[in-house]
Amino acid sequence: MKAVRLHTYHQQPVIEDVPEPTAKEPFDVVVKVGGAGVCRTDLHIIEQQWEEKSGVTLPYTIGHENAGWVHEVGSAVTNVAVGDTVILHPTPTCGLCHACRAGQDMHCINSTFPGINADGGMAEYLLTSARACIKLDPNTQPEDVAALADAGITAYHAVRKAVPLLYPGTTCVVNGAGGLGHIGIQSLTALTAARVIVVDRNPDALTLAAELGADETVVADGKHVAAVLDLTGGGNGAEVVLDFVAEQGAQQDAFAMTQRNGSHFVIGYGSNIDIPTIDIISTERNVIGNLVGTYNDLVELMVLAQAGKVTLHTKKYPLDAALDALADLAAGKVRGRAILTP
C-alpha cells in the first residue's frame, strides 16, 4: 500500500509502498482510510519537535486524524464489523488503567498514538483498536469528518472545559480561526451563549469566522490586543481566551487579552509562554493546558456534526499530493482543514 513516510527530520516525507497492516491481536481493527487530516502537528513532527516526547523510530507513517471503513477485525472485536464506517479516536487505549476508568482516556498510560509514536493514517490502511472506533451513519463520507478525530475533539474538549466559565454575558476570545479554531467557534455557539470575538491575521479566516457565528472579528495586525481590550469593557479583557495558535508571539497576546480571574486555554503550541509570576498571582489568571479530547468528547462532537451544528471546512487532496497539502498548510493557504483522500 502507499503511505506518507518520514525518514529524516527536517526533510519532507516520501510517498512509498509498505506492507499492509493486519489484525494480529484480538482487539485489533484494520481500517481502510477514507480521509486523513493534515495537521500543524505534522509540520512540528517534521521539525523534530516531537522526537523526545514520542520516542518514535524513523521511518514511520504520519497522520493522526483518520476515518474510513473497517477492513479487518481481530477475534474479540464485537463493536464494529467489516464494512462499517468509522471515525477513530486518535489514541487506542487499554481501558484498564486509572485514567481510562475515570473517562480521561487520552491520558491512558498504555496507549499508542498512531501518527505520533506509531504508524499513522496517511496511508491506504491503518491499524488501530476496537476501543478507538466510533461507528458512524453509513451515509457519512469519511473524508468529510476525518479531521474531527483530532482537530475537532481538541477544540471541542477545550470548549467543553470552558463551558462552566461562559455563562450568558461573558466573552470568549478565539485566538486563531484555522483548522482547530473554526471548530472551536462552532462548538462555542452550540454549547454556550457567550459573546465570541475571533482574532486572526488572515482576513479570509475572519470572513469564515463571521459566517460560523463570531460576534466580532479582529485582524491580528499588532494592534489587536488593544482592540480586544476596547471591545471588552474598555480594557477588562475576556473571561476566557482559547489560544489555537500559541506561537510567534500569539501566546503572549492571548494572556494579555485575558481578564482578571480569567482563563487562558493553551491549545496550539510551538513557543514558550513567558509570564512574570507576579502577573499570575496579582490577577489570579489561569493558564490551562489542553490535550486531545476523550473518546466521549468525540462521540458528542459527532452528534453535533451529524445534526449539522458543526461543519468541517476542508480542502481535499489525493494521497499522492500529500506534500502539496503539507506545503499549503505551512504557507497558510488552507482555510479550515486539509484532508488526504487515499
Side-chain angles (χ1 to χ4, degrees):
M1 69 171 185
K2 290 182 179 179
V4 181
R5 307 269 290 173
L6 181 66
H7 283 258
T8 306
Y9 291 117
H10 303 289
Q11 293 186 18
Q12 289 302 301
V14 297
I15 301 169
E16 60 187 359
D17 289 322
V18 296
E20 292 181 13
T22 57
K24 298 178 181 178
E25 299 298 326
F27 292 100
D28 281 353
V29 175
V30 177
V31 172
K32 178 177 172 58
V33 178
V38 182
C39 178
R40 188 159 292 277
T41 288
D42 297 313
L43 301 180
H44 292 318
I45 289 170
I46 295 167
E47 294 164 356
Q48 207 171 352
Q49 292 189 31
W50 277 89
E51 180 189 26
E52 183 177 342
K53 293 187 180 299
S54 72
V56 73
T57 300
L58 301 183
Y60 86 115
T61 304
I62 60 174
H64 54 278
E65 300 178 336
N66 305 298
W69 304 274
V70 176
H71 177 70
E72 182 185 5
V73 299
S75 60
V77 175
T78 59
N79 60 318
V80 292
V82 172
D84 284 347
T85 305
V86 292
I87 189 169
L88 305 179
H89 189 273
T91 57
T93 54
C94 72
L96 300 174
C97 68
H98 184 273
C100 284
R101 299 289 195 183
Q104 298 295 320
D105 39 338
M106 72 286 200
H107 295 298
C108 172
I109 61 174
N110 300 307
S111 67
T112 59
F113 205 138
I116 303 291
N117 62 13
D119 284 332
M122 289 189 189
E124 294 178 280
Y125 295 91
L126 168 67
L127 176 64
T128 184
S129 81
R131 281 182 55 83
C133 295
I134 296 174
K135 188 175 176 179
L136 302 177
D137 184 308
N139 293 320
T140 303
Q141 295 301 309
E143 64 191 47
D144 293 335
V145 299
L148 295 179
D150 181 59
I153 57 168
T154 299
Y156 181 81
H157 179 64
V159 171
R160 196 78 160 73
K161 288 164 64 174
V163 163
L165 306 173
L166 292 173
Y167 48 86
T170 57
T171 296
C172 181
V173 171
V174 174
N175 197 30
L180 277 76
H182 88 286
I183 299 298
I185 295 164
Q186 295 174 81
S187 299
L188 283 166
T189 59
L191 299 183
T192 80
R195 178 191 185 200
V196 179
I197 301 174
V198 179
V199 179
D200 199 287
R201 63 185 179 184
N202 191 308
D204 291 339
L206 294 178
T207 298
L208 176 60
E211 293 172 357
L212 296 176
D215 297 295
E216 307 276 357
T217 60
V218 176
V219 178
D221 58 1
K223 302 176 182 178
H224 50 285
V225 173
V228 168
L229 294 179
D230 285 344
L231 289 169
T232 52
N236 289 335
E239 283 83 359
V240 170
V241 176
L242 301 176
D243 186 5
F244 291 102
V245 184
E247 61 180 341
Q248 299 178 20
Q251 73 281 9
Q252 304 296 136
D253 295 341
F255 186 78
M257 292 186 286
T258 308
Q259 72 170 222
R260 296 178 66 90
N261 198 33
S263 295
H264 169 198
F265 287 75
V266 182
I267 306 143
Y269 65 95
S271 298
N272 295 339
I273 299 176
D274 183 12
I275 305 169
T277 50
I278 194 170
D279 288 350
I280 296 174
I281 63 137
S282 64
T283 61
E284 288 198 326
R285 279 178 283 182
N286 307 298
V287 178
I288 302 168
N290 296 271
L291 187 59
V292 65
T294 67
Y295 180 95
N296 284 338
D297 284 334
L298 185 53
V299 171
E300 293 175 15
L301 180 60
M302 293 313 300
V303 172
L304 293 178
Q306 297 197 8
K309 294 183 179 181
V310 171
T311 302
L312 185 64
H313 290 251
T314 62
K315 183 176 181 180
K316 296 170 184 175
Y317 301 76
L319 184 62
D320 287 340
L323 301 188
D324 294 333
L326 288 165
D328 286 351
L329 176 61
K333 295 179 179 180
V334 178
R335 298 276 70 76
R337 206 64 162 179
I339 305 293
L340 301 183
T341 56

